[in-house]
Amino acid sequence: MTDPGPGTAETKDLPPIAGRGAPRTPGAPAAPVASRRTSLLVTLVLGGLTAVPPLSMDMYLPALPEVTASLHSPAATVQLTLTTCLAGMALGQMIVGPMSDKWGRRRPLLTGMVIYILATALCVVAPNAELLIVFRLLQGLAGAAGIVIARAVVRDLYDGVAMARFFSTLMLISGVAPVVAPLIGAQILEVTDWRGVFAVLTVVGVLLTLLVWRKLHETLPPERRHSGGLGQTLRTMRDLLADRSFSGYLLVGAFAFAALFAYISASPFVIQEIYGASAQTFSLLFGINSVGLVVMGQINGKVLVGRVSLNRVLGIGLGLIAVAGASLLLMSSGVFGDVGLVPMAAGLFVLMASMGLVMPSTNTLALLRTPHAAGSASALLGTSTFLLGSVASPLVGIAGERTAVPMAVVQLSCAILALVSFLVMCRPWQRRGETSGTSGERTGL
Protein backbone atom coordinates (compact mmCIF):
# COMPACT_ATOMS: atom_id res chain seq x y z
CA MET A 1 0.00 0.00 0.00
CA THR A 2 2.17 2.83 -1.24
CA ASP A 3 1.42 6.51 -1.61
CA PRO A 4 0.98 7.69 -5.18
CA GLY A 5 2.76 10.87 -4.20
CA PRO A 6 1.68 14.48 -4.19
CA GLY A 7 2.40 15.02 -7.85
CA THR A 8 -0.33 12.82 -9.28
CA ALA A 9 -3.64 14.07 -10.58
CA GLU A 10 -5.34 12.75 -7.47
CA THR A 11 -4.67 15.96 -5.55
CA LYS A 12 -3.50 18.52 -8.09
CA ASP A 13 -6.97 20.06 -8.38
CA LEU A 14 -7.39 20.26 -4.59
CA PRO A 15 -5.10 22.96 -3.16
CA PRO A 16 -4.90 22.99 0.64
CA ILE A 17 -7.59 25.21 2.03
CA ALA A 18 -6.04 25.43 5.48
CA GLY A 19 -2.94 27.21 4.32
CA ARG A 20 -3.90 30.42 6.02
CA GLY A 21 -3.10 30.09 9.69
CA ALA A 22 -1.17 26.88 8.99
CA PRO A 23 2.37 27.97 8.10
CA ARG A 24 5.03 25.45 7.34
CA THR A 25 8.79 25.62 7.13
CA PRO A 26 10.22 26.33 3.66
CA GLY A 27 11.25 23.12 2.03
CA ALA A 28 8.74 21.04 3.94
CA PRO A 29 6.66 18.70 1.78
CA ALA A 30 3.47 20.15 0.34
CA ALA A 31 1.54 17.08 1.35
CA PRO A 32 2.20 14.00 3.47
CA VAL A 33 4.04 11.25 1.69
CA ALA A 34 4.35 7.64 2.83
CA SER A 35 7.93 6.63 2.14
CA ARG A 36 7.37 3.00 3.05
CA ARG A 37 4.62 0.54 3.74
CA THR A 38 3.07 0.92 7.19
CA SER A 39 3.92 -2.05 9.40
CA LEU A 40 1.18 -4.51 10.25
CA LEU A 41 1.53 -3.80 13.98
CA VAL A 42 1.14 -0.04 13.50
CA THR A 43 -1.89 -0.69 11.31
CA LEU A 44 -3.35 -2.84 14.08
CA VAL A 45 -2.65 -0.13 16.67
CA LEU A 46 -4.39 2.51 14.53
CA GLY A 47 -7.31 0.12 14.04
CA GLY A 48 -7.46 -0.40 17.79
CA LEU A 49 -7.59 3.35 18.39
CA THR A 50 -10.48 3.75 15.97
CA ALA A 51 -12.16 0.83 17.75
CA VAL A 52 -12.25 2.67 21.10
CA PRO A 53 -15.69 4.30 20.44
CA PRO A 54 -17.47 1.10 19.30
CA LEU A 55 -15.87 -0.83 22.15
CA SER A 56 -16.98 1.78 24.66
CA MET A 57 -20.55 1.78 23.37
CA ASP A 58 -21.32 -1.58 21.77
CA MET A 59 -19.96 -3.83 24.52
CA TYR A 60 -22.32 -2.02 26.87
CA LEU A 61 -25.42 -2.29 24.66
CA PRO A 62 -26.71 -5.71 25.81
CA ALA A 63 -26.54 -4.44 29.39
CA LEU A 64 -28.82 -1.42 28.87
CA PRO A 65 -32.03 -3.14 30.08
CA GLU A 66 -30.11 -4.54 33.10
CA VAL A 67 -28.67 -1.10 33.96
CA THR A 68 -32.19 0.31 33.83
CA ALA A 69 -33.36 -2.20 36.43
CA SER A 70 -30.17 -2.16 38.53
CA LEU A 71 -30.03 1.60 38.98
CA HIS A 72 -33.84 1.99 39.14
CA SER A 73 -33.83 4.55 36.33
CA PRO A 74 -36.07 4.96 33.27
CA ALA A 75 -34.79 3.87 29.88
CA ALA A 76 -34.53 7.48 28.67
CA THR A 77 -32.15 8.29 31.54
CA VAL A 78 -30.00 5.22 30.93
CA GLN A 79 -29.80 6.07 27.22
CA LEU A 80 -28.17 9.33 28.32
CA THR A 81 -25.12 7.25 29.29
CA LEU A 82 -24.72 6.69 25.55
CA THR A 83 -25.54 10.28 24.65
CA THR A 84 -23.05 11.81 27.09
CA CYS A 85 -20.31 9.43 26.00
CA LEU A 86 -20.87 10.53 22.40
CA ALA A 87 -21.02 14.20 23.39
CA GLY A 88 -17.75 13.78 25.29
CA MET A 89 -16.11 12.22 22.25
CA ALA A 90 -17.33 15.13 20.14
CA LEU A 91 -15.98 17.82 22.48
CA GLY A 92 -12.79 15.88 23.16
CA GLN A 93 -11.92 15.75 19.48
CA MET A 94 -12.21 19.54 19.21
CA ILE A 95 -9.64 19.82 21.99
CA VAL A 96 -7.24 17.02 21.09
CA GLY A 97 -7.21 17.47 17.29
CA PRO A 98 -5.73 21.00 17.26
CA MET A 99 -3.41 20.04 20.13
CA SER A 100 -1.98 17.27 17.97
CA ASP A 101 -1.31 19.76 15.14
CA LYS A 102 0.73 21.86 17.57
CA TRP A 103 2.48 19.29 19.80
CA GLY A 104 2.55 16.20 17.61
CA ARG A 105 0.45 13.06 17.80
CA ARG A 106 1.99 10.98 20.60
CA ARG A 107 1.78 13.25 23.65
CA PRO A 108 -1.94 14.15 23.40
CA LEU A 109 -2.77 10.54 22.49
CA LEU A 110 -1.02 8.99 25.50
CA THR A 111 -2.50 11.57 27.87
CA GLY A 112 -5.99 10.91 26.59
CA MET A 113 -5.64 7.15 26.86
CA VAL A 114 -4.50 7.34 30.51
CA ILE A 115 -7.52 9.49 31.41
CA TYR A 116 -9.75 7.06 29.48
CA ILE A 117 -8.52 4.20 31.67
CA LEU A 118 -9.26 6.13 34.88
CA ALA A 119 -12.74 7.20 33.72
CA THR A 120 -13.68 3.66 32.67
CA ALA A 121 -12.56 2.31 36.04
CA LEU A 122 -14.82 4.87 37.74
CA CYS A 123 -17.78 3.56 35.71
CA VAL A 124 -17.26 0.18 37.39
CA VAL A 125 -18.08 1.68 40.81
CA ALA A 126 -20.78 4.20 39.79
CA PRO A 127 -23.50 4.04 42.49
CA ASN A 128 -26.30 5.65 40.46
CA ALA A 129 -27.29 6.66 36.95
CA GLU A 130 -26.38 10.31 37.47
CA LEU A 131 -22.74 9.57 38.36
CA LEU A 132 -22.54 6.94 35.62
CA ILE A 133 -23.58 9.65 33.14
CA VAL A 134 -20.79 11.93 34.45
CA PHE A 135 -18.16 9.18 34.25
CA ARG A 136 -19.29 8.26 30.74
CA LEU A 137 -18.88 11.90 29.71
CA LEU A 138 -15.29 11.86 31.01
CA GLN A 139 -14.71 8.52 29.28
CA GLY A 140 -15.88 10.01 26.00
CA LEU A 141 -13.76 13.14 26.39
CA ALA A 142 -10.62 11.07 26.88
CA GLY A 143 -11.46 8.33 24.39
CA ALA A 144 -11.76 10.96 21.66
CA ALA A 145 -7.96 11.14 21.52
CA GLY A 146 -7.73 7.70 19.92
CA ILE A 147 -10.10 8.21 17.02
CA VAL A 148 -9.15 11.80 16.11
CA ILE A 149 -5.41 11.19 16.18
CA ALA A 150 -5.69 7.88 14.31
CA ARG A 151 -7.32 9.75 11.40
CA ALA A 152 -4.66 12.46 11.56
CA VAL A 153 -1.87 9.86 11.51
CA VAL A 154 -3.37 8.31 8.36
CA ARG A 155 -3.42 11.76 6.74
CA ASP A 156 0.22 12.26 7.80
CA LEU A 157 1.24 9.06 6.03
CA TYR A 158 -1.03 8.72 3.00
CA ASP A 159 -2.62 10.69 0.19
CA GLY A 160 -5.19 10.19 -2.57
CA VAL A 161 -6.30 6.67 -3.47
CA ALA A 162 -3.79 5.18 -1.03
CA MET A 163 -5.52 7.00 1.81
CA ALA A 164 -8.94 5.70 0.74
CA ARG A 165 -7.57 2.15 0.68
CA PHE A 166 -5.96 2.54 4.08
CA PHE A 167 -9.21 3.84 5.59
CA SER A 168 -10.93 0.74 4.21
CA THR A 169 -8.22 -1.41 5.81
CA LEU A 170 -8.80 0.32 9.13
CA MET A 171 -12.50 -0.44 8.74
CA LEU A 172 -11.62 -4.14 8.51
CA ILE A 173 -9.71 -3.91 11.78
CA SER A 174 -11.90 -1.50 13.73
CA GLY A 175 -15.00 -3.19 12.31
CA VAL A 176 -14.15 -6.29 14.32
CA ALA A 177 -14.94 -4.26 17.46
CA PRO A 178 -18.69 -3.85 16.85
CA VAL A 179 -18.83 -7.49 15.74
CA VAL A 180 -17.30 -8.93 18.90
CA ALA A 181 -18.16 -6.22 21.44
CA PRO A 182 -21.86 -7.08 21.94
CA LEU A 183 -21.00 -10.78 21.91
CA ILE A 184 -18.36 -10.23 24.59
CA GLY A 185 -20.76 -8.00 26.52
CA ALA A 186 -23.46 -10.68 26.43
CA GLN A 187 -21.01 -13.33 27.65
CA ILE A 188 -19.82 -11.06 30.47
CA LEU A 189 -23.45 -10.67 31.55
CA GLU A 190 -23.66 -14.47 31.83
CA VAL A 191 -21.05 -14.50 34.61
CA THR A 192 -21.35 -11.05 36.18
CA ASP A 193 -23.37 -7.85 35.94
CA TRP A 194 -23.02 -4.72 33.79
CA ARG A 195 -20.13 -3.44 35.93
CA GLY A 196 -17.99 -6.27 34.64
CA VAL A 197 -18.33 -4.80 31.13
CA PHE A 198 -16.53 -1.65 32.24
CA ALA A 199 -13.90 -3.70 34.06
CA VAL A 200 -13.07 -5.45 30.77
CA LEU A 201 -12.98 -2.08 28.96
CA THR A 202 -10.48 -0.84 31.56
CA VAL A 203 -8.17 -3.74 30.79
CA VAL A 204 -8.53 -3.13 27.04
CA GLY A 205 -7.59 0.52 27.58
CA VAL A 206 -4.46 -0.44 29.51
CA LEU A 207 -3.28 -2.88 26.83
CA LEU A 208 -3.90 -0.44 23.98
CA THR A 209 -2.08 2.36 25.82
CA LEU A 210 0.97 0.14 26.29
CA LEU A 211 0.99 -0.69 22.58
CA VAL A 212 0.74 3.00 21.63
CA TRP A 213 3.60 3.86 24.00
CA ARG A 214 5.89 1.15 22.64
CA LYS A 215 5.02 0.92 18.95
CA LEU A 216 3.41 4.10 17.58
CA HIS A 217 6.11 6.63 16.71
CA GLU A 218 5.57 10.32 16.03
CA THR A 219 4.26 10.98 12.48
CA LEU A 220 4.13 14.78 12.52
CA PRO A 221 7.69 16.24 12.36
CA PRO A 222 8.37 19.57 14.12
CA GLU A 223 8.66 21.51 10.85
CA ARG A 224 5.03 20.69 9.97
CA ARG A 225 3.53 21.60 13.34
CA HIS A 226 1.58 24.77 14.04
CA SER A 227 3.21 27.33 16.29
CA GLY A 228 0.19 29.52 17.00
CA GLY A 229 -2.29 29.43 19.84
CA LEU A 230 -6.07 29.55 20.11
CA GLY A 231 -6.41 32.33 17.56
CA GLN A 232 -4.61 30.38 14.87
CA THR A 233 -6.61 27.26 15.67
CA LEU A 234 -9.87 29.17 15.25
CA ARG A 235 -8.68 30.71 11.98
CA THR A 236 -7.70 27.30 10.66
CA MET A 237 -11.10 25.86 11.51
CA ARG A 238 -12.82 28.88 9.97
CA ASP A 239 -10.91 28.30 6.74
CA LEU A 240 -11.83 24.64 6.77
CA LEU A 241 -15.52 25.31 7.26
CA ALA A 242 -15.48 28.07 4.63
CA ASP A 243 -14.70 25.49 1.97
CA ARG A 244 -18.07 24.36 0.58
CA SER A 245 -16.99 20.88 -0.42
CA PHE A 246 -15.22 20.13 2.88
CA SER A 247 -18.28 21.27 4.83
CA GLY A 248 -20.48 19.22 2.52
CA TYR A 249 -18.55 16.02 3.15
CA LEU A 250 -18.53 16.85 6.86
CA LEU A 251 -22.34 17.07 6.89
CA VAL A 252 -22.72 13.92 4.79
CA GLY A 253 -20.61 11.93 7.24
CA ALA A 254 -22.35 13.45 10.26
CA PHE A 255 -25.89 12.71 9.07
CA ALA A 256 -24.93 9.19 7.98
CA PHE A 257 -23.42 8.51 11.39
CA ALA A 258 -26.55 9.88 13.08
CA ALA A 259 -28.61 7.32 11.15
CA LEU A 260 -26.18 4.61 12.29
CA PHE A 261 -26.29 5.74 15.90
CA ALA A 262 -30.08 5.80 15.86
CA TYR A 263 -29.78 2.08 15.18
CA ILE A 264 -27.08 1.58 17.83
CA SER A 265 -29.07 3.40 20.50
CA ALA A 266 -32.52 1.95 19.74
CA SER A 267 -31.69 -1.60 18.67
CA PRO A 268 -31.34 -3.13 22.17
CA PHE A 269 -34.90 -2.09 22.97
CA VAL A 270 -36.30 -2.73 19.49
CA ILE A 271 -34.84 -6.22 19.20
CA GLN A 272 -35.19 -7.34 22.82
CA GLU A 273 -38.26 -5.47 24.12
CA ILE A 274 -40.45 -5.12 21.00
CA TYR A 275 -39.57 -8.39 19.24
CA GLY A 276 -38.79 -10.41 22.37
CA ALA A 277 -35.33 -11.59 21.39
CA SER A 278 -32.76 -12.58 24.00
CA ALA A 279 -29.53 -10.70 24.69
CA GLN A 280 -27.70 -13.49 22.86
CA THR A 281 -29.90 -13.12 19.76
CA PHE A 282 -29.50 -9.36 19.80
CA SER A 283 -25.71 -9.73 19.99
CA LEU A 284 -25.73 -12.23 17.12
CA LEU A 285 -27.80 -9.92 14.89
CA PHE A 286 -25.63 -6.96 15.79
CA GLY A 287 -22.55 -8.98 14.93
CA ILE A 288 -23.99 -10.03 11.55
CA ASN A 289 -24.76 -6.41 10.72
CA SER A 290 -21.23 -5.39 11.67
CA VAL A 291 -19.82 -8.13 9.44
CA GLY A 292 -21.85 -6.61 6.61
CA LEU A 293 -20.25 -3.23 7.27
CA VAL A 294 -16.75 -4.75 7.28
CA VAL A 295 -17.33 -6.78 4.09
CA MET A 296 -18.75 -3.78 2.24
CA GLY A 297 -15.81 -1.69 3.40
CA GLN A 298 -13.41 -4.27 1.96
CA ILE A 299 -15.29 -4.40 -1.33
CA ASN A 300 -14.94 -0.64 -1.42
CA GLY A 301 -11.20 -0.67 -0.67
CA LYS A 302 -10.12 -3.71 -2.67
CA VAL A 303 -12.46 -3.55 -5.67
CA LEU A 304 -13.98 -0.09 -6.12
CA VAL A 305 -11.27 2.37 -5.05
CA GLY A 306 -9.13 3.28 -8.05
CA ARG A 307 -11.78 2.01 -10.50
CA VAL A 308 -14.93 3.89 -9.52
CA SER A 309 -15.20 7.52 -8.44
CA LEU A 310 -15.37 7.89 -4.67
CA ASN A 311 -18.21 10.35 -5.17
CA ARG A 312 -20.14 7.72 -7.11
CA VAL A 313 -19.49 5.13 -4.39
CA LEU A 314 -20.60 7.63 -1.78
CA GLY A 315 -23.80 8.39 -3.71
CA ILE A 316 -24.63 4.67 -3.98
CA GLY A 317 -24.07 4.20 -0.26
CA LEU A 318 -26.30 7.12 0.64
CA GLY A 319 -29.02 5.85 -1.70
CA LEU A 320 -28.96 2.42 -0.03
CA ILE A 321 -29.25 4.02 3.41
CA ALA A 322 -32.26 6.04 2.27
CA VAL A 323 -33.96 2.94 0.84
CA ALA A 324 -33.29 1.00 4.05
CA GLY A 325 -34.65 3.86 6.17
CA ALA A 326 -37.83 4.12 4.10
CA SER A 327 -38.36 0.35 4.30
CA LEU A 328 -37.88 0.32 8.08
CA LEU A 329 -40.39 3.15 8.48
CA LEU A 330 -43.01 1.36 6.39
CA MET A 331 -42.53 -1.90 8.31
CA SER A 332 -42.44 -0.35 11.79
CA SER A 333 -45.53 1.77 11.14
CA GLY A 334 -47.58 -1.32 10.23
CA VAL A 335 -48.08 -0.65 6.52
CA PHE A 336 -47.22 -4.30 5.79
CA GLY A 337 -48.85 -5.64 8.94
CA ASP A 338 -46.88 -7.47 11.61
CA VAL A 339 -43.68 -8.23 9.68
CA GLY A 340 -41.78 -9.86 12.53
CA LEU A 341 -38.09 -9.73 13.40
CA VAL A 342 -36.52 -11.12 10.20
CA PRO A 343 -37.62 -8.36 7.76
CA MET A 344 -36.70 -5.65 10.27
CA ALA A 345 -33.30 -7.27 10.77
CA ALA A 346 -32.80 -7.35 6.99
CA GLY A 347 -33.50 -3.62 6.71
CA LEU A 348 -31.10 -2.86 9.53
CA PHE A 349 -28.45 -5.03 7.84
CA VAL A 350 -28.68 -3.02 4.59
CA LEU A 351 -28.48 0.25 6.49
CA MET A 352 -25.41 -0.74 8.49
CA ALA A 353 -23.58 -2.48 5.61
CA SER A 354 -23.97 0.62 3.45
CA MET A 355 -21.86 2.53 5.97
CA GLY A 356 -18.91 0.56 4.58
CA LEU A 357 -19.26 2.60 1.40
CA VAL A 358 -20.00 5.93 3.05
CA MET A 359 -17.50 6.26 5.90
CA PRO A 360 -14.16 5.70 4.11
CA SER A 361 -15.29 7.86 1.18
CA THR A 362 -16.35 10.86 3.26
CA ASN A 363 -13.17 10.76 5.39
CA THR A 364 -10.93 10.56 2.32
CA LEU A 365 -12.70 13.20 0.25
CA ALA A 366 -12.70 15.65 3.18
CA LEU A 367 -9.12 15.05 4.37
CA LEU A 368 -7.71 15.31 0.84
CA ARG A 369 -8.42 19.03 1.09
CA THR A 370 -6.55 19.53 4.39
CA PRO A 371 -2.94 18.24 4.25
CA HIS A 372 -1.60 20.97 6.59
CA ALA A 373 -4.32 20.80 9.24
CA ALA A 374 -5.08 17.10 9.55
CA GLY A 375 -5.68 17.23 13.31
CA SER A 376 -8.09 20.15 13.14
CA ALA A 377 -9.88 18.69 10.11
CA SER A 378 -10.15 15.31 11.81
CA ALA A 379 -11.54 17.04 14.91
CA LEU A 380 -14.23 18.82 12.89
CA LEU A 381 -15.19 15.60 11.10
CA GLY A 382 -15.36 13.62 14.32
CA THR A 383 -17.09 16.30 16.37
CA SER A 384 -19.86 16.77 13.83
CA THR A 385 -20.57 13.03 13.65
CA PHE A 386 -20.63 12.53 17.40
CA LEU A 387 -22.72 15.64 18.07
CA LEU A 388 -25.41 14.59 15.61
CA GLY A 389 -25.20 11.05 16.96
CA SER A 390 -25.79 12.34 20.48
CA VAL A 391 -28.88 14.22 19.23
CA ALA A 392 -30.22 11.12 17.47
CA SER A 393 -29.93 8.96 20.60
CA PRO A 394 -32.73 10.49 22.74
CA LEU A 395 -34.99 11.04 19.71
CA VAL A 396 -35.31 7.30 19.03
CA GLY A 397 -36.94 6.76 22.42
CA ILE A 398 -39.24 9.76 22.33
CA ALA A 399 -42.38 7.62 21.87
CA GLY A 400 -41.45 5.02 24.49
CA GLU A 401 -39.94 1.54 24.34
CA ARG A 402 -42.74 -0.24 22.44
CA THR A 403 -42.42 1.21 18.94
CA ALA A 404 -39.62 1.35 16.38
CA VAL A 405 -41.20 4.20 14.41
CA PRO A 406 -39.04 6.98 15.96
CA MET A 407 -35.88 5.04 15.10
CA ALA A 408 -36.96 4.66 11.48
CA VAL A 409 -38.06 8.32 11.20
CA VAL A 410 -34.67 9.51 12.48
CA GLN A 411 -32.81 7.17 10.11
CA LEU A 412 -34.78 8.21 7.02
CA SER A 413 -34.57 11.91 7.88
CA CYS A 414 -30.80 11.70 8.34
CA ALA A 415 -30.39 9.81 5.06
CA ILE A 416 -32.35 12.47 3.16
CA LEU A 417 -30.34 15.28 4.78
CA ALA A 418 -27.09 13.52 3.90
CA LEU A 419 -28.16 13.16 0.27
CA VAL A 420 -29.19 16.83 0.06
CA SER A 421 -25.84 17.93 1.56
CA PHE A 422 -23.99 15.72 -0.92
CA LEU A 423 -25.80 17.03 -3.98
CA VAL A 424 -26.03 20.70 -3.02
CA MET A 425 -22.66 21.31 -1.38
CA CYS A 426 -20.30 18.66 -2.80
CA ARG A 427 -21.68 18.83 -6.37
CA PRO A 428 -20.18 15.46 -7.36
CA TRP A 429 -21.08 15.79 -11.04
CA GLN A 430 -18.45 18.55 -11.44
CA ARG A 431 -15.62 16.01 -10.98
CA ARG A 432 -17.14 13.07 -12.81
CA GLY A 433 -14.78 11.22 -15.15
CA GLU A 434 -11.48 12.61 -13.86
CA THR A 435 -8.62 10.13 -14.20
CA SER A 436 -5.15 9.81 -12.80
CA GLY A 437 -2.49 11.16 -15.08
CA THR A 438 -0.13 8.32 -14.22
CA SER A 439 -2.19 5.18 -14.11
CA GLY A 440 -5.45 5.98 -15.88
CA GLU A 441 -7.41 5.14 -12.72
CA ARG A 442 -10.28 7.25 -11.60
CA THR A 443 -9.22 9.61 -8.87
CA GLY A 444 -12.30 9.03 -6.77
CA LEU A 445 -12.78 12.75 -6.46
Side-chain angles (χ1 to χ4, degrees):
M1 186 180 302
T2 57
D3 192 332
T8 68
E10 294 177 12
T11 56
K12 68 179 182 181
D13 295 324
L14 293 175
I17 58 139
R20 292 172 294 172
R24 56 187 178 88
T25 302
V33 177
S35 59
R36 59 185 175 85
R37 186 183 297 268
T38 302
S39 71
L40 176 60
L41 184 56
V42 170
T43 303
L44 291 173
V45 171
L46 292 175
L49 292 173
T50 62
V52 168
L55 281 176
S56 300
M57 292 182 290
D58 299 346
M59 193 181 294
Y60 173 63
L61 289 179
L64 282 177
E66 181 180 318
V67 176
T68 301
S70 173
L71 298 181
H72 308 290
S73 298
T77 300
V78 172
Q79 282 182 325
L80 286 176
T81 62
L82 292 174
T83 303
T84 53
C85 186
L86 268 182
M89 288 181 180
L91 178 60
Q93 290 184 71
M94 291 296 290
I95 298 171
V96 177
M99 286 173 58
S100 74
D101 282 339
K102 182 176 181 180
W103 293 324
R105 312 305 185 197
R106 270 178 60 86
R107 196 175 2 162
L109 176 57
L110 287 170
T111 301
M113 291 304 297
V114 170
I115 298 174
Y116 172 84
I117 293 168
L118 295 176
T120 308
L122 287 173
C123 290
V124 177
V125 297
N128 53 55
E130 289 73 22
L131 279 177
L132 181 60
I133 289 171
V134 172
F135 296 151
R136 288 282 280 174
L137 175 63
L138 181 60
Q139 184 189 40
L141 285 167
I147 188 169
V148 70
I149 292 181
R151 272 197 304 263
V153 167
V154 174
R155 187 63 185 101
D156 291 339
L157 297 176
Y158 291 97
D159 203 7
V161 167
M163 180 165 53
R165 287 176 176 152
F166 196 86
F167 273 126
S168 293
T169 300
L170 284 189
M171 181 163 289
L172 172 62
I173 300 167
S174 62
V176 172
V179 173
V180 302
L183 299 174
I184 294 173
Q187 297 307 313
I188 292 172
L189 294 177
E190 290 291 314
V191 298
T192 183
D193 61 8
W194 60 271
R195 299 179 189 274
V197 174
F198 289 108
V200 172
L201 285 172
T202 303
V203 174
V204 170
V206 170
L207 295 176
L208 186 56
T209 302
L210 290 174
L211 280 173
V212 169
W213 178 52
R214 294 294 301 274
K215 300 298 181 182
L216 187 61
H217 302 296
E218 183 60 61
T219 60
L220 187 68
E223 64 269 17
R224 285 176 46 207
R225 297 178 189 176
H226 295 182
S227 58
L230 178 61
Q232 179 175 307
T233 296
L234 294 176
R235 286 192 298 271
T236 299
M237 291 189 172
R238 178 199 63 194
D239 293 340
L240 291 169
L241 293 174
D243 181 81
R244 187 194 68 242
S245 293
F246 175 84
S247 295
Y249 292 122
L250 179 148
L251 289 174
V252 170
F255 284 123
F257 185 83
L260 175 61
F261 197 73
Y263 159 70
I264 292 174
S265 182
S267 60
F269 298 98
V270 171
I271 302 299
Q272 296 182 72
E273 302 294 334
I274 297 177
Y275 290 97
S278 65
Q280 301 291 333
T281 299
F282 162 73
S283 300
L284 177 62
L285 290 175
F286 197 94
I288 291 172
N289 291 344
S290 300
V291 168
L293 185 149
V294 170
V295 170
M296 192 65 76
Q298 294 315 292
I299 292 173
N300 181 33
K302 304 299 183 184
V303 178
L304 301 179
V305 170
R307 296 180 176 88
V308 181
S309 164
L310 283 183
N311 275 307
R312 182 173 297 177
V313 172
L314 179 54
I316 292 171
L318 292 174
L320 289 172
I321 293 172
V323 170
S327 300
L328 289 167
L329 179 58
L330 291 173
M331 288 187 288
S332 61
S333 59
V335 172
F336 302 124
D338 186 5
V339 297
L341 177 59
V342 173
M344 286 291 294
L348 293 171
F349 175 84
V350 172
L351 183 141
M352 193 163 181
S354 301
M355 298 294 171
L357 299 177
V358 172
M359 291 179 177
S361 301
T362 52
N363 284 334
T364 301
L365 289 164
L367 289 175
L368 274 174
R369 308 184 69 84
T370 62
H372 305 307
S376 296
S378 179
L380 288 171
L381 290 170
T383 297
S384 61
T385 58
F386 283 102
L387 280 178
L388 282 182
S390 66
V391 171
S393 176
L395 291 179
V396 299
I398 198 169
E401 304 171 26
R402 298 297 176 182
T403 176
V405 170
M407 177 191 72
V409 168
V410 171
Q411 289 169 338
L412 180 57
S413 300
C414 289
I416 292 173
L417 290 170
L419 275 168
V420 170
S421 300
F422 179 57
L423 295 174
V424 173
M425 300 183 69
C426 302
R427 301 180 183 178
W429 60 85
Q430 292 182 345
R431 299 183 180 89
R432 184 171 54 194
E434 292 181 3
T435 56
S436 169
T438 58
S439 65
E441 294 179 342
R442 292 185 184 273
T443 65
L445 304 178

